[in-house]
Amino acid sequence: MKQTTNSILMIRPVAFRMNEQTAVNNYYQKVLDGLLPATVNAKAQQEFDAFVQKLQAVGVNVIVVDDTLNPDTPDSIFPNNWISFHENGDVALYPMFAENRRLERREEILDLLEDKGFRIDNIVDYTEAETDNYFLEGTGSIILDRANSKAYCALSPRADEELFIEFCEDFDLNPIIFEAFQTVEGDRKLIYHTNVMMCIGETFAVICADCIDDKKERKMVLDSLKQDGKEIILITEDQVNNFAGNMLEVRGTDDKRYLVMSAVAHQSLTEKQIAQLEKHAEILSSSLDTIEACGGGSARCMMAEIFLPKE
């Protein structure tokens, strides 16, 4: 199984704003005072378009789908939470914590991918769990090490343990389960998505080990990564707050590897960390300030990797 792909799905926002329904447990969201909703969306669109251009310029196959005004989906720019695409032709659909995020699931996106020559054999649908208030938000909650058949998950209100284990059984993955925390006004609170504190590339892993308060769990996670020969690049909690954990390795022209992140994440890294990362992939960063502030998500969340076989 490949760990990286050349094809990604991205959703261009039409009514992006801070989502009041996700702010209850996403402590990275901020209110941008004095900006009209139309201004926030216009800024987000500018950031989105510039980001897509940078990816396309290095040969990443970006499939852009425009969001629709109805229904109201302020977080549609983060498709990796509701869908994932797998090499065996499976597509997984995930149960979402915020009710207005459930409206992001659009069947016509699957039709569009099939029109572009991707093969979809089977849809694995976990969305029924929403009725019982169990959630698992795609590759936000789950960090896949596809090549080593492992899945990492930091439990939270948006990542249910039993559902995660069911997902791992369905996709034949070894589950690695832990809790990750951030400090919010002096309290340790569960981090809402695993992908803000860790990223797994082909030959490396970026992780904030300090977020894993339980020493046994921390050792288990680091041992698992070491066992697979990953170079571990540690980041700090402050860097996590700058979205330095929210990175994704993709492939461009001639299968060249790029590590994609936001400008803020890039700026937060030390020279030593940058040197460590550049041994594995070229860094590609883009300014996502408005999207990060209002959405509480960053570069990784905006890209849903497509591993589907081609017809």
Side-chain angles (χ1 to χ4, degrees):
M1 299 288 261
K2 297 195 307 258
Q3 178 61 14
T4 51
T5 179
N6 171 251
S7 296
I8 56 175
L9 166 73
M10 294 180 68
I11 309 289
R12 188 174 192 269
V14 292
F16 175 80
R17 65 168 196 277
M18 174 162 161
N19 185 353
E20 57 292 338
Q21 293 184 17
T22 55
V24 292
N25 56 21
N26 177 347
Y27 307 108
Y28 298 99
Q29 287 174 247
K30 300 179 186 73
V31 177
L32 293 181
D33 288 330
L35 284 187
L36 290 167
T39 312
V40 170
N41 184 65
K43 282 176 175 286
Q45 284 180 333
Q46 283 169 350
E47 291 171 2
F48 179 92
D49 293 341
F51 184 28
V52 169
Q53 278 175 337
K54 282 190 177 182
L55 290 164
Q56 289 174 332
V58 298
V60 179
N61 175 27
V62 186
I63 295 166
V64 176
V65 177
D66 283 308
D67 191 20
T68 52
L69 274 171
N70 278 321
D72 174 36
T73 48
D75 274 333
S76 60
I77 200 166
F78 304 131
N80 81 314
N81 298 141
W82 67 265
I83 195 162
S84 64
F85 306 99
H86 302 265
E87 254 181 78
N88 61 354
D90 281 358
V91 171
L93 298 178
Y94 297 95
M96 306 287 284
F97 171 82
E99 284 179 27
N100 63 7
R101 292 214 62 191
R102 299 169 194 176
L103 305 168
E104 292 172 32
R105 298 189 289 254
R106 287 164 56 191
E107 264 183 45
E108 71 267 27
I109 289 176
L110 300 181
D111 299 337
L112 175 92
L113 291 178
E114 288 185 314
D115 290 345
K116 292 196 176 284
F118 291 101
R119 198 180 84 223
I120 295 171
D121 295 330
N122 183 33
I123 293 176
V124 189
D125 190 343
Y126 299 100
T127 58
E128 270 296 291
E130 285 168 353
T131 52
D132 299 317
N133 285 323
Y134 293 118
F135 311 108
L136 186 67
E137 296 194 334
T139 54
S141 300
I142 304 164
I143 307 291
L144 293 168
D145 185 345
R146 295 171 190 256
N148 293 296
S149 301
K150 287 181 180 176
Y152 293 78
C153 181
L155 301 179
S156 79
R158 304 200 199 179
D160 178 72
E161 184 166 7
E162 280 177 35
L163 206 51
F164 173 60
I165 289 168
E166 184 186 330
F167 165 84
C168 288
E169 284 169 359
D170 291 343
F171 284 88
D172 209 13
L173 296 161
N174 179 20
I176 291 145
I177 300 167
F178 57 99
E179 287 183 326
F181 296 86
Q182 65 185 123
T183 300
V184 182
E185 292 171 358
D187 290 329
R188 293 298 269 172
K189 303 250 187 189
L190 288 169
I191 284 180
Y192 81 110
H193 277 163
T194 318
N195 77 359
V196 295
M197 54 75 66
M198 95 183 270
C199 147
I200 295 180
E202 284 184 19
T203 49
F204 65 95
V206 173
I207 183 168
C208 179
D210 293 344
C211 289
I212 307 175
D213 289 357
D214 184 295
K215 288 190 178 125
K216 275 192 191 143
E217 286 186 356
R218 187 187 313 159
K219 183 177 185 313
M220 171 197 69
V221 171
L222 293 173
D223 284 351
S224 172
L225 294 167
K226 282 178 196 154
Q227 190 186 323
D228 298 323
K230 305 280 185 204
E231 178 179 2
I232 295 174
I233 295 142
L234 295 172
I235 55 172
T236 64
E237 290 190 43
D238 190 45
Q239 289 173 322
V240 169
N241 293 335
N242 286 293
F243 294 103
N246 199 245
M247 307 169 169
L248 181 68
E249 188 180 31
V250 298
R251 288 186 173 272
T253 307
D254 298 330
D255 263 355
K256 183 170 173 180
R257 292 189 283 183
Y258 292 90
L259 183 59
V260 184
M261 64 189 77
S262 73
V264 164
H266 195 175
Q267 285 152 14
S268 78
L269 297 173
T270 65
E271 281 180 23
K272 184 186 170 195
Q273 288 167 325
I274 289 171
Q276 281 178 296
L277 291 168
E278 284 178 338
K279 287 191 298 197
H280 303 277
E282 186 175 317
I283 292 174
L284 186 153
S285 63
S286 197
S287 170
L288 303 171
D289 296 3
T290 310
I291 292 166
E292 287 176 326
C294 295
S298 187
R300 164 68 189 107
C301 308
M302 293 168 67
M303 299 180 281
E305 303 149 277
I306 304 170
F307 284 89
L308 296 168
K310 282 304 246 299
E311 286 293 6

